[in-house]
Amino acid sequence: GAGVSQSPRYKVAKRGQDVALRCDPISGHVSLFWYQQALGQGPEFLTYFQNEAQLDKSGLPSDRFFAERPEGSVSTLKIQRTQQEDSAVYLCASSLESGASYNEQFFGPGTRLTVL
Amino acid sequence: AQKVTQAQTEISVVEKEDVTLDCVYETRDTTYYLFWYKQPPSGELVFLIRRNSFDEQNEISGRYSWNFQKSTSSFNFTITASQVVDSAVYFCALSGEYSSASKIIFGSGTRLSIRP
């Protein structure tokens, strides 16, 4: 069966450009998570959706970051006016049920964003 | 505060040696979950194990074993008879039932290299 897919796999942006990163979770998965992974670091939580509801966005680093999941399946992470410090791998994960504590999260391959 | 510490940044061993990856965590939750993930060069995080805070039994799965000790807040991971395919970055992670119920807190990872 298909796993979590993300597109594009690689994105190069000039500083100040807007970018949109897409995540296709596993079909039927209720929960969707976005993480940011800087080089040499572990993933850091950005935001969490349960179906179409964004229940936790405490990890978004600034108001330039915006995520949506309008129909409870595909999600888009948008970064406005990109800065060099936004360069990282952005990981998407989904899980079958709500919450993270007791459910296995399945991760996508990530989108590597490089801001020049 | 929730925190995961993986003090070993990099480990290199010769194939067939046993290797232990250390993980120490901090949490105020009485109910929490601990995870190990593997991140091979392809970048996709692969789930290895989840344990809850009430289950301190050690677990063995093939060449992998995990030692959970609440008294020392540690959840160490041992690979027996290591193989080149085990080369990857390994992340220990934590999710608390209340303080971080919708997110996983990752350590900074241990890069494991297995030399032939």
Side-chain angles (χ1 to χ4, degrees):
Chain A
V4 178
S5 60
Q6 293 186 244
S7 60
R9 290 294 310 279
Y10 302 91
K11 177 69 180 177
V12 178
K14 291 184 179 178
R15 190 161 58 98
Q17 280 185 335
D18 298 348
V19 298
L21 313 180
R22 178 188 169 105
C23 172
D24 285 83
I26 294 173
S27 178
H29 277 200
V30 168
S31 297
L32 185 144
F33 307 82
W34 283 99
Y35 293 84
Q36 179 190 60
Q37 185 176 18
L39 188 64
Q41 299 296 314
E44 292 193 3
F45 170 83
L46 293 177
T47 187
Y48 158 60
F49 289 86
Q50 183 177 311
N51 296 308
E52 68 278 4
Q54 189 175 19
L55 299 187
D56 188 342
K57 54 182 180 179
S58 61
L60 296 177
S62 77
D63 58 8
R64 296 186 295 104
F65 286 71
F66 172 76
E68 59 183 7
R69 192 186 186 198
E71 297 178 357
S73 56
V74 171
S75 177
T76 303
L77 176 66
K78 298 178 179 178
I79 308 174
Q80 297 176 326
R81 305 181 302 282
T82 52
Q83 304 293 317
Q84 285 188 325
E85 61 262 28
D86 300 334
S87 295
V89 175
Y90 290 85
L91 295 167
C92 177
S94 70
S95 67
L96 183 59
E97 296 178 10
S98 60
S101 292
Y102 36 83
N103 291 306
E104 177 184 346
Q105 292 186 19
F106 295 84
F107 283 80
T111 294
R112 182 178 297 277
L113 172 66
T114 303
V115 182
L116 302 176
Chain B
Q2 308 268 334
K3 186 178 179 182
V4 177
T5 301
Q6 294 180 256
Q8 303 153 309
T9 305
E10 293 192 38
I11 299 175
S12 180
V13 300
V14 176
E15 197 172 20
K16 297 183 183 177
E17 285 186 11
D18 299 347
V19 58
T20 295
L21 309 182
D22 297 334
C23 173
V24 174
Y25 62 90
E26 296 175 30
T27 181
R28 291 181 181 176
D29 288 325
T30 53
T31 301
Y32 52 89
Y33 297 79
L34 296 164
F35 306 81
W36 275 94
Y37 281 85
K38 175 181 180 180
Q39 189 172 44
S42 61
E44 200 158 330
L45 279 163
V46 177
F47 169 87
L48 296 178
I49 190 172
R50 174 187 59 237
R51 301 307 300 273
N52 73 56
S53 51
F54 296 108
D55 182 3
E56 288 194 68
Q57 281 191 352
N58 292 330
E59 183 158 339
I60 298 174
S61 176
R63 295 183 298 107
Y64 294 171
S65 63
W66 291 269
N67 182 357
F68 176 27
Q69 293 198 351
K70 259 176 128 169
S71 60
T72 56
S73 297
S74 66
F75 186 43
N76 296 338
F77 172 33
T78 297
I79 302 175
T80 303
S82 59
Q83 300 177 0
V84 173
V85 293
D86 296 328
S87 297
V89 180
Y90 290 86
F91 292 97
C92 180
L94 165 71
S95 181
E97 184 173 28
Y98 296 106
S99 56
S100 62
S102 61
K103 66 187 74 168
I104 294 179
I105 309 298
F106 286 85
S108 56
T110 297
R111 181 176 299 278
L112 177 63
S113 297
I114 310 298
R115 307 189 304 274

